[in-house]
Amino acid sequence: METTEEAFLAHGLDKIDQDGSIAFCENVFSEVLEGHSLVANARHLRGSAWLSFPRLICGKWTTFNENSHVVLMGDAAHTAHFAIGSGTKLALEDAIELTNQFKQHGASRETIPAVLAAYEELRRVDVARIQNAARNAMEWFEVVGSRYADTLEPEQFMYSLLTRSQRISHENLRLRDKVWLEGYERWFSQKAGLPASNDRVTPPMFTPFRIRGLSLSNRIIVSPMAVYSAEEGVPNDFHMVHLGARALGGAGLIFTEMTCVSPEARITPGCCGLWNDEQGKAFKRIVDFVHGSSQARIGIQLGHAGRKGSTRVAWEGMDQPLPEHNWPLVSASAVSYLADGQTPEPMTRAEMDQVRDEFVAAARRGAQAGFDILELHCAHGYLLSSFLSPLTNHRTDEYGGGIENRARYPLEIFRAIRAVWPEDRPMSVRLSCHDWAEGGNTPDDALEFARLFKQAGADLVDCSSGQVWADDHPVYGRLYQTPFADKIRNEVGIATIAVGAISEADHANSIIAAGRADLCAIARPHLADPAWTLHEAAKIGMKSISWPKQYVSGKPQYEANLERAATIAASGAK
Ligand SMILES: Cc1cc2nc3c(=O)[nH]c(=O)nc-3n(C[C@H](O)[C@H](O)[C@H](O)COP(=O)(O)OP(=O)(O)OC[C@H]3O[C@@H](n4cnc5c(N)ncnc54)[C@H](O)[C@@H]3O)c2cc1C
Ligand SMILES: Cc1cc2nc3c(=O)[nH]c(=O)nc-3n(C[C@H](O)[C@H](O)[C@H](O)COP(=O)(O)O)c2cc1C
């Protein structure tokens, strides 16, 4: 039986003995016990104790020397929370692997060190994976009351429960129970507004999404990515080809890179800007192409580099100060990004007014250029993010201190833009939902920021993390930022964008189907493949997605080649 700390204390379970606890549980489960009693574990095995689960992994699992011959297996080497029921499996697999290694290397005094080393090396990988999954599952149960019970409909609640460890994905569910999964896909697609049909059901990532007056044909976004190729902030042919190719590549929405509101707001001399009409005109040409030649919509991300400005383009040294022609930096406080980087000046109120007006002017130009959505960049340690994080905001005025004060200036900018941005077009805000550094913002803080932006009229929160503090320690891994999108979506009640290490359709389908986010932004995979969305559709056999009419003859061949490769792989596997 598992319960929250709050319920545990409220029922006085901390004050009663084992017999009292057993009686309490018998009462809770009386309906299923049907008059039977519960049996406690033997007292010499600590009995049936309430415990806060200790997740342990030993630093060393084996010793083999004159004095000691030890191999740890199972719970003695590592524990995994019961939420995914895998402790026994892990213990048995340890034993099987140890036996395998003895078979491979032989069981002599000389071979034993190699056997033990290989055993430990191999098993650690699997154990880490299972411990991760068990932690996800444990956390799901910990937040189910506040996050899912009242927000998700029963169908989606079930999907969320089944995929709680994030080890079981959408396609994995299909293998386990095809009929059930197709039923769920049908339910999801009808909720998303698609008509019921007997054809192959549309997988969640390919369902449409509407917010204010914006209709997206699917849930995939080309995440904002700086390409450092502008001159004087003006997007050129490179941007047209880069964004145009990705618009033709199937994503429902593509974002520009962080587009800067003044020359001093740029990260590098190669960044795009929207502080003059020439830039506005150049962007309009791109927007018109996207609208005229693709089914994609296009959004602008507006930002100000703050203390991370005046640096070199990525391939000449990311975050490194320019060797010459630097410009002065402003930030919430005088905290440089790199120890040897340029120190910014804390913003004065007059500068805050000026930058706010620059954001408003850029937003007006963006609206005139025809962008469908505007994202305000409040992440990654840039100017607005520097106000949000306590690591970079040491102000003692009303813009520093608690969460509301730190959010005051970013919210002021947001509201000023919202006032001029067309009513029927949505706005999103990108947050660093975790600073991954001691004393920095945590996902709980991000939740509060998301609430405040929602009150200010934000339609979407784009949930990124990090890059605020140079000495941060992100825990990378598949879908590593998705838990932030999940938390904010389901605890604040606002649509979210998941981003970060989402690299295949199966990931995106799992995230969207489970209601962990409404949209998925994909960055680096789109650098490798502009048509990522079309190609992923083909990989999962989703033939009904349309290709640009100019490219249609490439589609059946591409699909047939994939099918052939799959058939060969399957026959090879046999
Ligand atoms: C409430 C609960 C629910 C669980 N649910 C699941 C589940 O659904 N699915 C699942 O796969 N796993 C589950 N587990 C985990 C699973 O029970 C353990 O991971 C698994 O039993 C570990 O096996 P083991 O052999 O490593 O350790 P153990 O099963 O703990 O075996 C260790 C043995 O060593 C003995 N011992 C200890 N000290 C000494 C000594 N000095 N000399 C001699 N003997 C000693 C102990 O008496 C014990 O018999 C659950 C665990 C708990 C507590
Ligand atoms: C080359 C490059 C440039 C980027 N530029 C921006 C940017 O301008 N604005 C932004 O918010 N994020 C930017 N990012 C971050 C991405 O939008 C995304 O959040 C991150 O790469 C994680 O997604 P991925 O794992 O799919 O790559 C950039 C990432 C890359 C790789």
Side-chain angles (χ1 to χ4, degrees):
M1 179 167 182
E2 196 150 0
T3 185
T4 59
E5 180 88 5
E6 195 188 357
F8 182 76
L9 297 176
H11 288 285
L13 292 168
D14 56 325
K15 298 197 186 69
I16 56 178
D17 62 7
Q18 173 173 304
D19 291 340
S21 283
I22 300 272
F24 175 82
C25 293
E26 278 173 349
N27 185 30
V28 170
F29 295 113
S30 58
E31 201 179 322
V32 283
L33 286 170
E34 293 180 336
H36 294 280
S37 55
L38 288 174
V39 181
N41 286 339
R43 279 183 197 271
H44 74 277
L45 298 177
R46 292 190 60 213
S48 293
W50 290 100
L51 54 91
S52 278
F53 182 77
R55 184 168 58 243
L56 296 175
I57 186 151
C58 290
K60 198 164 155 36
W61 296 3
T62 61
T63 54
F64 184 68
N65 56 37
E66 294 300 308
N67 311 320
S68 121
H69 303 172
V70 177
V71 180
L72 300 185
M73 288 189 281
D75 278 5
H78 45 70
T79 61
H81 190 264
F82 330 125
I84 58 168
S86 56
T88 307
K89 176 174 171 289
L90 280 178
L92 288 171
E93 285 170 350
D94 286 349
I96 292 167
E97 190 55 52
L98 188 63
T99 313
N100 277 344
Q101 291 304 325
F102 270 117
K103 277 193 184 147
Q104 270 183 36
H105 294 269
S108 71
R109 182 160 266 283
E110 287 69 44
T111 58
I112 287 178
V115 166
L116 300 185
Y119 156 74
E120 189 169 331
E121 191 185 326
L122 283 169
R123 290 303 299 148
R124 272 190 188 279
V125 177
D126 216 33
V127 164
R129 211 175 284 142
I130 299 278
Q131 281 193 322
N132 231 344
R135 193 198 49 218
N136 288 341
M138 177 186 81
E139 285 174 3
W140 191 93
F141 283 112
E142 285 176 354
V143 300
V144 63
S146 60
R147 192 180 296 174
Y148 306 119
D150 298 329
T151 45
L152 301 182
E153 293 189 54
E155 290 83 350
Q156 194 163 40
F157 184 86
M158 173 76 167
Y159 187 102
S160 176
L161 169 71
L162 290 174
T163 55
R164 67 189 181 278
S165 72
Q166 292 185 38
R167 234 162 70 88
I168 296 180
S169 69
H170 197 71
E171 292 310 313
N172 201 270
L173 282 175
R174 196 185 308 281
L175 278 179
R176 289 163 191 250
D177 193 339
K178 189 165 183 283
V179 173
W180 178 80
L181 188 78
E182 284 179 0
Y184 181 70
E185 285 186 330
R186 199 164 293 117
W187 177 85
F188 191 94
S189 70
Q190 283 170 23
K191 282 263 154 197
L194 291 177
S197 128
N198 292 327
D199 296 342
R200 171 164 178 188
V201 194
T202 305
M205 70 182 254
F206 292 109
T207 57
F209 182 71
R210 254 191 95 80
I211 197 150
R212 292 201 194 222
L214 174 66
S215 287
L216 301 179
S217 60
N218 64 54
R219 311 290 187 108
I220 299 301
I221 300 178
V222 177
S223 199
M225 277 184 287
V227 290
Y228 312 103
S229 299
E231 277 177 43
E232 304 297 330
V234 185
N236 52 40
D237 285 353
F238 185 88
H239 302 85
M240 168 63 101
V241 173
H242 169 71
L243 294 170
R246 279 144 193 87
L248 294 172
L253 175 66
I254 58 169
F255 264 115
T256 66
E257 64 190 65
M258 177 173 118
T259 300
C260 308
V261 297
S262 71
E264 297 73 33
R266 289 177 299 170
I267 312 168
T268 75
C271 289
C272 284
L274 201 42
W275 64 83
N276 64 36
D277 291 341
E278 186 188 356
Q279 294 156 348
K281 234 171 94 185
F283 268 123
K284 183 168 187 310
R285 187 170 153 252
I286 297 172
V287 172
D288 288 347
F289 172 81
V290 172
H291 287 164
S293 300
S294 82
Q295 47 72 53
R297 305 285 94 190
I298 178 165
I300 177 113
Q301 187 189 54
L302 285 185
H304 186 305
R307 75 200 228 283
K308 292 176 86 177
S310 194
T311 61
R312 306 177 202 195
V313 295
W315 46 89
E316 287 175 7
M318 190 84 172
D319 299 323
Q320 296 302 318
L322 285 171
E324 53 183 1
H325 306 304
N326 285 284
W327 54 85
L329 303 182
V330 289
S331 188
S333 302
V335 181
S336 68
Y337 183 60
L338 299 179
D340 54 354
Q342 199 188 145
T343 303
E345 288 292 322
M347 279 184 113
T348 63
R349 186 58 242 191
E351 285 165 336
M352 288 160 80
D353 288 345
Q354 184 190 330
V355 168
R356 180 200 56 217
D357 295 347
E358 288 165 354
F359 267 102
V360 168
R364 281 210 170 94
R365 286 201 175 86
Q368 276 161 16
F371 283 106
D372 301 293
I373 175 172
L374 187 153
E375 175 163 289
L376 184 62
H377 199 335
C378 296
H380 302 168
Y382 297 118
L383 181 68
L384 300 182
S385 160
S386 78
F387 277 84
L388 295 180
S389 174
L391 293 170
T392 49
N393 182 340
H394 302 163
R395 297 177 77 102
T396 51
D397 58 8
E398 70 261 49
Y399 303 100
I403 287 204
E404 297 212 348
N405 278 7
R406 300 203 306 275
R408 195 181 303 279
Y409 184 55
L411 285 168
E412 181 183 326
I413 302 257
F414 185 93
R415 288 200 186 92
I417 295 177
R418 190 58 270 183
V420 299
W421 184 246
E423 184 62 31
D424 62 333
R425 299 189 212 171
M427 275 184 69
S428 67
V429 56
R430 182 168 259 210
L431 294 178
S432 277
C433 297
H434 202 325
D435 285 349
W436 304 109
E438 186 81 28
N441 280 327
T442 65
D444 285 336
D445 300 315
L447 193 80
E448 295 308 316
F449 292 132
R451 274 206 180 102
L452 293 169
F453 277 105
K454 181 185 171 187
Q455 281 164 16
D459 304 291
L460 279 156
V461 181
D462 187 351
C463 301
S464 186
S465 75
Q467 298 173 56
V468 169
W469 197 240
D471 185 27
D472 61 3
H473 299 282
V475 182
Y476 292 117
R478 192 168 51 96
L479 320 187
Y480 75 109
Q481 294 174 150
T482 300
F484 312 140
D486 182 2
K487 182 178 172 77
I488 288 176
R489 179 181 193 271
N490 295 307
E491 290 184 36
V492 176
I494 186 168
T496 57
I497 304 174
V499 63
I502 302 169
S503 53
E504 48 184 85
D506 196 22
H507 297 161
N509 276 326
S510 308
I511 292 169
I512 289 161
R516 298 199 165 90
D518 298 272
L519 299 163
C520 288
I522 318 284
R524 288 164 300 170
H526 271 120
L527 294 182
D529 181 1
W532 183 88
T533 305
L534 297 180
H535 291 163
E536 286 300 309
K539 284 183 203 161
I540 60 167
M542 161 84 192
K543 294 191 175 173
S544 57
I545 190 165
S546 56
W547 284 32
K549 59 180 183 282
Q550 296 87 341
Y551 299 165
V552 160
S553 38
K555 185 169 184 265
Q557 188 197 38
Y558 186 80
E559 289 165 348
N561 283 345
L562 280 176
E563 275 167 23
R564 194 170 311 126
T567 312
I568 293 169
S571 64
K574 278 179 201 146

